[in-house]
Every structure is written in C-alpha cells, then in structure tokens.
Amino acid sequence: AQTIHQWPVAEIKAVGSPLSLGCTIKGKSSPNLYWYWQATGGTLQQLFYSITVGQVESVVQLNLSASRPKDDQFILSTEKLLLSHSGFYLCAWSRDKNTGQLYFGEGSKLTVL
Amino acid sequence: AQKVTQTQTSISVMEKTTVTMDCVYETQDSSYFLFWYKQTASGEIVFLIRQDSYKKENATVGHYSLNFQKPKSSIGLIITATQIEDSAVYFCAMRELNTGANTGKLTFGHGTILRVHP
C-alpha cells in the first residue's frame, strides 16, 4: 500500500526566515506529486506539481519554490517567509492519472509571526 | 473558467440522521470528474467518493452517496446514519478532462462544516 508522509507536522517561523517542508511517498514508483496550500478556514489551492525527478511546474506564484530531488520526495521551500505564507500545506499524489483523484498527506501547519 | 460553490457554511444534525451537503459547479468542458473530500480536526484530508460526468448512476460508497444532477450542475453529498465521527469539513472538488491529467489540478469549494450531535 502507498503511504505519504509530510514533515514537519508544524512550524512556527519568523517573517524573513527560510522554510523547508518535505513530503515522501512510499510504495509507488514514479508518482505524480503535488503541493496544495490552505489558508486557515479556507479552500485548497494548488501550488506546484511534479511528474518526474528534477521537473517541477509552478501553478501560482506565492514566493515559494519546489524541488523533486528524488523519485519519492517533494520539497517546498522559500528563503524569506512572508506573513501570507501562514496556513496548511498539503502534499498529494494521484493514483489514477485519468481522473485526477488525489490522495493527501497529513499536512504541515505553518505559522509565520 | 471552472468554479465550485458550496453555499452551506455549516450544518448541524443529530446522530443517526441523514444529511445532504450541496455543491454546484461551473465548467465549459463536456467531461469532468467530481469529488468529495473530508477534512478531519487534525487537518487530514480524506477522499470519500467520486462521480464521473459521463455516468448516469449516482456513486455510492458505504454510507456516502451522491445526488448527481447534471442539468443543474449539481453534485450533492448524502451521508446516511450519521455518526459523531462524521463531524468534519467537507469539500467538493472538480477536475475538467481537458485539464492535463498530470497537473493534478482540482478546483475546490470552500467547504461545509458538518457537526453531528449525540
């Protein structure tokens, strides 16, 4: 069975500090991986997607970047956090590339002060 | 442009009753996929059920079922025999077929909070 794990579970960071959030999927080779963001109490918005190692596509510009250093790993980062970066970050993968049905990790809660 | 609207901000029901959550969508595409997800108190988002636009039969999974009314662009989620643990935020989402399958782009509604009381 496939499992997806995100780290850290939660972070409290200062404005202007760097950030790195990670996601690892096990049990699935060459997965499509996705980053979504959710403002507190809000809807989900896609940030990035990656279909293979080293290839990342940006969907929205939020002063964030993403990388796919390994087949099973997806990293979200920024060098300088903004207050607007606060929220819940979710990594997801798609089992069925035709329907686009997504399965999400546990999420990482980010608070920027 | 695709859009998903959930007009019910929150719903409160008694345990063991049936609840329906509404969702309407806008799309220019003739083929699309509709999903319902549940977000628990911990933040975890769990896939519940899917409806493919070309299927006339309403999807059913366990005590979740859908009321798909294509002419009205409506996809309601029905939960029967609700339990306390069904309390969560429920999101409706859509993917248009002409959106690249690899993009993983789902358009989500803003969610409906469900509270199930004993």
Side-chain angles (χ1 to χ4, degrees), chain B residues 26-59:
Chain B
E26 295 176 21
T27 179
Q28 301 300 317
D29 207 337
S30 58
S31 295
Y32 46 90
F33 304 95
L34 301 163
F35 309 88
W36 279 91
Y37 286 85
K38 169 185 176 181
Q39 185 168 34
T40 64
S42 68
E44 183 183 14
I45 295 182
V46 179
F47 165 74
L48 296 178
I49 192 168
R50 184 185 86 230
Q51 180 76 40
D52 301 344
S53 64
Y54 59 88
K55 292 185 177 179
K56 293 184 178 180
E57 304 79 25
N58 290 319

Side-chain angles (χ1 to χ4, degrees), chain A residues 32 34 36 46 49 94-102, chain B residues 1-4 23 25-37 47 49-54 68 75 92-109:
Chain A
N32 285 6
Y34 313 95
Y36 274 76
Q46 188 186 26
Y49 69 92
S94 179
R95 175 178 293 170
D96 183 338
K97 296 178 183 179
N98 180 46
T99 66
Q101 183 171 310
L102 299 182
Chain B
Q2 51 189 330
K3 184 178 179 181
V4 175
C23 175
Y25 55 90
E26 295 176 21
T27 179
Q28 301 300 317
D29 207 337
S30 58
S31 295
Y32 46 90
F33 304 95
L34 301 163
F35 309 88
W36 279 91
Y37 286 85
F47 165 74
I49 192 168
R50 184 185 86 230
Q51 180 76 40
D52 301 344
S53 64
Y54 59 88
F68 180 42
I75 183 73
C92 178
M94 174 176 68
R95 186 178 89 79
E96 295 174 327
L97 189 61
N98 66 6
T99 303
N102 284 328
T103 67
K105 180 175 173 55
L106 298 187
T107 299
F108 284 82

